[in-house]
Amino acid sequence: MGTLTPDARARWEHLCRTLEGHNYRYYVLDDPDITDGKYDLLWRELAALETAHAELCSPDSPTQRVGAKPSSGFAEVAHSHPMLSLANALDEAEMRAFDRRVSERLGHESVEYVAEPKLDGLAVSLRYEQGRLIQAATRGDGHRGEDITANIRTISSVPLRLRGDDIPATLVVRGEVYMPLAGFQTLNAAQQARGEKPFANPRNAAAGSLRQLDPKISAERPLTVCFYGVGALSAEKDIQQHSELLAQLQAWGLRVSPEYAVLQGVDACLQYFRVMAARRAGLGYDIDGVVYKLNQLQEQALLGAVSRAPRWAIAHKFPAEEALTRVSAIEIQVGRTGALTPVARLMPVTVGGVTVTNATLHNAEEISRKDVRVGDTVVVRRAGDVIPEVVRVLMEQRPADTHAFEFPSICPVCASAVTRVEGEVVARCSGGLYCPAQRVQAIRHFASRRAMDVEGLGEKRVEQLVQQGLVHKVSDLYGLSLESLVKLERMGDKSAENLLLALEQSKHTSFACFLFALGIRDVGEATARALASHFGTLERLQGADEEALQAVADVGPVVAKQIVLFFSQAHNREVVSALLAAGVVWPDEHPVDEEFPLAGKNFVITGSLSSLSRQQAKERLQALGARVSGSVSSKTDYLVCGEKAGSKHTKAEALSIPILDESAFLTFLQNI
Ligand code: 5U1
């Protein structure tokens, strides 16, 4: 190894900068100014210098995209700011309705939007600190994703360092990783040549490529990325518009869609949609619609978000793809809550690049309205990730010997009576946890990733445990022994040990995951989180009556009733006690109340504040345990009101909610 001369270091620096510059022109600007051959020469010179002088090696060097070693799994990453999803508009009327809601809320005649194609890939979040890529994560459940940093670093269009001299201290940038069609076709040809299964579509290929434990495999896959927003941006920059933000991301070296456009009003949006639909087949990558966002960031902040999606953005989806096939059987599935869902088993058919063999028929009413029968030729449709559905029957092709489907009056799994509550379309098995199908689904739900996260408890395994009588209720999982497990078919010593280990590990959970895992009717993840942060402890939650429960922002009368009903039933209380006795624990939601003096309090912030931004005010309140939401309701405890407050002020007055102007708010914070 030679001595490192100042000249060699300077040459190394120069080569790194030059190659970064060429990467930027090629991947971000789509305007290369050097041939591939010349680029290769520079790259090799850099690699040779680094081989000769190991001390030059830096993780940010353009040669270092494929260096990481395979790992044994993906670590979990908590998103500092939730990764939201998008509400959908499925046709022009829904798009116009969205625009009307936005215009009314803002009090504007015509709204300015930014439009861009909706890429059919995987959402990712990248964190840059002092301009360096330090972490990349998948969306996961929006709050926690998987650490895919090593794989993301192999994507050439992802800068390892941001460009320019006005780089933010922190930038969390959000975008979509996808596989262009040309790369997808080459990859599939290579898969087939090796005798391996081809990927069904570019999205699956991109997902499979990102989830490789060996980054060298990801590096060989033709992935690219496009960024469309930020999760966090330290406050040095004064950016007022989403279009400015996109231009700034591009200037920092982050690829944004070359198709984005600023549009005035809904008609311009619909015209953009029509143009994109016409251009879709020739774009060279899959898109499934168009995304519109309010251009003014202040207006985005004013509208806020509901549950998982912002009110200031929408995805206008292209119509779903359809195909014809034959129904070979109609079966009934029994879900976790006993709901009976009729499912059509179909002759395999490809719809939008995916083979479909089952489609939902939703419920008894739907099946009789559409009159779907075994032997019928039907139109099936799939749109995005949703379960395929039977749209209609081609009556003219119906064979002579078909029979109308008779919806069962007893559960096909446990023979309990099927009941239907007045006014509800869903028919349910009345067997409760006596019904093995409900038990299997309840246990599957309990063990699922977003609940207790027990690896290795798939549907087949749970069915086996239930059938063999080893598990009757979720708490029995923690009583499983090695001896009983190894007696099961297809269960080796190693798998049994792994399952016991996974069960042991799952005991360390969070209060919210535990609540979600219990499978209380109507308590989804968001509600479980809201309950956990509001009540802090299981004792307080169990002791809450319907009125106290309704003080939680996500909880209305129906959900409150379900929660009270759940904890009033002796068998549920026994399961909860057994789980705690088995060692299920979670860290305190509010370790010391003095640290979270505003826990359980709901705030809304409106108007513009002069001494701090609304975001800063929100963060201060959240740090004190408060919940900050976007709209005033009877559950709001305080309205913080800056200059030019509008309808929220009026509504808060009407509901007699305490209103804090800026100076009262600052005094309030000081006195806490
Ligand atoms: N192009 C684009 N895709 N996409 C997906 N923009 C965009 N924005 C998103 C998502 C989930 O979310 C933000 C509006 C929160």
Side-chain angles (χ1 to χ4, degrees), residues 84-86 116-119 123 139 176 228 291 293 310 312-313:
L84 299 174
S85 49
L86 286 167
E116 62 182 339
K118 184 168 185 311
L119 293 163
R139 180 175 188 283
E176 199 90 352
Y228 51 65
V291 179
K293 296 175 184 156
W312 43 263

